[in-house]
Amino acid sequence: MTMLTRRSALMTPLALLATPALAQAPWPSRPTRIVVPIAAGGALDITARMLAERLQALLGQPFVVENRAGAGGNIGSQHVAQSPADGHTLMLAAANTLAANKFLYGNRMPIDPLKDLGPVTRVSTGTILMAVNAQRPWRSFAELIAFARANPGRVSMGSSGTGTTSHLFIERVKRAANVDITHVPYRGGGPAIQDLVAGNIDMMFDVMPALMPHVREGRVRALAVGSAARVTFVPGLENVPGMDEVLPGQGIDAQAWYAVVSPPNLPAPILERVHASIVQVVRAPEFGERLAPLGFRTVTDATPAAFLEFWRAEEDRWKQLVEISGATAE
């Protein structure tokens, strides 16, 4: 009996280790990848690197940004959807990738984001900026539109990719203003902005964090913001009109958001820790202070379930935007 008791005592720790809940390694137990489904250099990439830097400082493990560009974010999304659900692969994606792509790509979509990705939380929201190369003659939105009407197809507009926020909203503006502007898609906002600064394209709509440094340094000129009202909290944009001023009565109000998602079915304890860690980082004053001058404000969701509810509602809004704009994935 004594031998059996001793044997049972020795086996008990092994039995406990075999229990999945207790065998689960804490998160993070090794480097965590934050996938960005577009090319490096754009606003999404900038935000992801800010997030990675602060999560690493908070949690003491490396956080690495990995750019997986292509197909409007679908390549990166599919990769994350098929990654292990252990918290060590996350994705920071924009609203168009998560809510618009299924309507742009139709049966060519490799996944259904709402079903095949796991919600964590939003991290920021903001509008977009219309800017032209500083060497172009247009000093106002009205001057640009007048030239475009007189010269159909001669104005070139870059975007961060087909079906992205910048593409959808320029198509909306083109229809509202009744102009023909040539769309030039890029594999991410970074390459598009490089060509805008170099003068290889005339203009673009993009989120502010990527464009504002070039506005302040005089390389590009801001003509309008995509929101209905002006963005007065951003230094240098106080006199830049909103869409209600330049295209009154059209109901254009571009609002973009970025959110963290994961592979589906993340174990609840890990999901709770991922969510809590990201919320703690994003709500820290210094995170918001770095975003605000660039035109973005921080926003988080109380729970992953709350973000999922918001996400579902946003699908309808982006579906309508795709239909109104007439945009389709090429």
Side-chain angles (χ1 to χ4, degrees), residues 138-158:
W138 315 303
R139 296 282 171 176
S140 69
F141 180 89
E143 290 181 6
L144 169 65
I145 295 303
F147 180 88
R149 285 176 178 161
N151 301 274
R154 281 189 56 188
V155 176
S156 57
M157 190 283 300

Side-chain angles (χ1 to χ4, degrees), residues 132-212:
V132 298
N133 178 275
Q135 302 304 313
R136 299 302 191 266
W138 315 303
R139 296 282 171 176
S140 69
F141 180 89
E143 290 181 6
L144 169 65
I145 295 303
F147 180 88
R149 285 176 178 161
N151 301 274
R154 281 189 56 188
V155 176
S156 57
M157 190 283 300
S159 77
S160 51
T162 300
T164 58
T165 302
S166 55
H167 177 210
L168 292 181
F169 279 99
I170 192 58
E171 294 295 340
R172 179 75 175 87
V173 167
K174 283 166 58 177
R175 174 174 290 195
N178 191 28
V179 292
D180 178 12
I181 293 174
T182 301
H183 173 226
V184 183
Y186 288 79
R187 289 172 63 88
I193 291 172
Q194 288 176 11
D195 266 9
L196 176 66
V197 170
N200 296 326
I201 55 174
D202 297 314
M203 60 165 289
M204 70 178 296
F205 254 133
D206 203 2
V207 284
M208 292 185 187
L211 281 174
M212 280 307 299

Side-chain angles (χ1 to χ4, degrees), residues 115-287:
K115 295 178 180 178
D116 299 323
L117 293 169
V120 180
T121 182
R122 285 174 293 166
V123 300
S124 62
T125 185
T127 189
I128 56 180
L129 184 67
M130 174 186 277
V132 298
N133 178 275
Q135 302 304 313
R136 299 302 191 266
W138 315 303
R139 296 282 171 176
S140 69
F141 180 89
E143 290 181 6
L144 169 65
I145 295 303
F147 180 88
R149 285 176 178 161
N151 301 274
R154 281 189 56 188
V155 176
S156 57
M157 190 283 300
S159 77
S160 51
T162 300
T164 58
T165 302
S166 55
H167 177 210
L168 292 181
F169 279 99
I170 192 58
E171 294 295 340
R172 179 75 175 87
V173 167
K174 283 166 58 177
R175 174 174 290 195
N178 191 28
V179 292
D180 178 12
I181 293 174
T182 301
H183 173 226
V184 183
Y186 288 79
R187 289 172 63 88
I193 291 172
Q194 288 176 11
D195 266 9
L196 176 66
V197 170
N200 296 326
I201 55 174
D202 297 314
M203 60 165 289
M204 70 178 296
F205 254 133
D206 203 2
V207 284
M208 292 185 187
L211 281 174
M212 280 307 299
H214 302 287
V215 172
R216 293 197 174 102
E217 293 170 11
R219 292 191 287 264
V220 302
R221 182 183 304 122
L223 298 188
V225 295
S227 55
R230 296 187 180 198
V231 181
T232 56
F233 65 89
V234 179
L237 293 185
E238 298 88 350
N239 297 319
V240 176
M243 288 290 113
D244 275 354
E245 294 179 65
V246 298
L247 290 171
Q250 295 295 326
I252 300 176
D253 187 17
Q255 298 292 339
W257 47 267
Y258 294 162
V260 175
V261 295
S262 71
N265 304 314
L266 212 60
I270 295 179
L271 177 57
E272 290 170 8
R273 182 161 165 79
V274 171
H275 176 270
S277 300
I278 292 171
V279 168
Q280 181 177 340
V281 162
V282 172
R283 289 184 179 175
E286 60 268 21
F287 196 90

Side-chain angles (χ1 to χ4, degrees), residues 306-320:
F307 169 48
L308 180 61
E309 183 177 356
F310 168 84
W311 185 359
R312 285 187 178 128
E314 280 288 283
E315 270 207 342
D316 290 337
R317 187 173 77 87
W318 285 85
K319 179 182 180 182
Q320 293 174 12

